[in-house]
Amino acid sequence: MRESNPYFDQDVALYEEHHRKELRAEFDRRVRQRLELEEVKRLYRGATAGDVDTIESAIWAGADTDTANPLDNGRTALHYACLAGERAAAQVLVEHGANPSALDALGFTPADALKSGEKDPRGEIAGDLELARAAHAHMASLAMKINAAIRWW
């Protein structure tokens, strides 16, 4: 092959360099994915424990507040905060964009999880969730109107 192609060594070097870059990119992607998963786990633990600092730290590190836990029927961090009756955790999650209408794999919302956990005797968290759900729905309708106006324009 070398005799018939004067650029054989250069071609091989380019080929190897290309594959090194591809392998490095795949390695970096997997490392980022692993780190994101670790932050989501921290978010779940913080929500369950009511640890607002851990929740905010995980969110600022890149954890998505609406990531569903595939190992626990698709519950989100807000589901965990409600099950544990952690009002401050639920408030922080909603402030950072957690969807108060998110459904787990069984079709339960965080408010349903709150009822099953029986940790909100005065209904404070339920009231917060209802307000957040109404605000979330209002923002969604505004976004639809804005998008419709942009398409029209």
Side-chain angles (χ1 to χ4, degrees):
M1 197 76 156
R2 238 173 231 181
E3 299 82 35
S4 64
N5 182 358
Y7 301 105
F8 178 82
D9 291 334
Q10 290 172 334
D11 290 346
V12 168
L14 286 171
Y15 177 82
E16 289 173 348
E17 179 63 24
H18 169 75
H19 283 284
R20 270 195 295 278
K21 287 180 182 176
E22 290 291 318
L23 286 171
R24 183 65 190 179
E26 178 63 17
F27 176 79
D28 290 344
R29 185 188 67 77
R30 289 185 182 195
V31 167
R32 273 192 313 277
Q33 186 179 36
R34 178 70 183 212
L35 291 174
E36 288 169 7
L37 287 173
E38 290 301 317
E39 292 305 327
V40 170
K41 285 193 254 180
R42 267 190 344 131
L43 182 66
Y44 294 151
R45 286 191 300 268
T48 302
D51 187 347
V52 173
D53 292 335
T54 297
I55 293 169
E56 288 189 332
S57 172
I59 290 169
W60 286 110
D64 181 2
T65 56
D66 287 331
T67 300
N69 185 348
L71 302 176
D72 191 17
N73 292 324
R75 289 181 174 152
T76 65
L78 190 54
H79 282 92
Y80 290 121
C82 289
L83 279 168
E86 295 293 343
R87 184 179 187 194
Q91 288 173 334
V92 168
L93 288 164
V94 169
E95 287 170 5
H96 285 281
N99 182 358
S101 301
L103 298 175
D104 66 11
L106 301 174
F108 294 113
T109 65
D112 296 329
L114 184 62
K115 291 173 194 166
S116 71
E118 298 179 3
K119 303 257 179 148
D120 188 29
R122 293 188 306 217
E124 294 171 334
I125 303 171
D128 293 345
L129 285 177
E130 188 53 40
L131 287 172
R133 208 161 52 90
H136 202 266
H138 180 68
M139 292 303 291
S141 71
L142 284 177
M144 287 175 46
K145 289 176 184 175
I146 290 168
N147 287 335
I150 289 172
R151 281 190 222 120
W152 178 81
W153 187 252

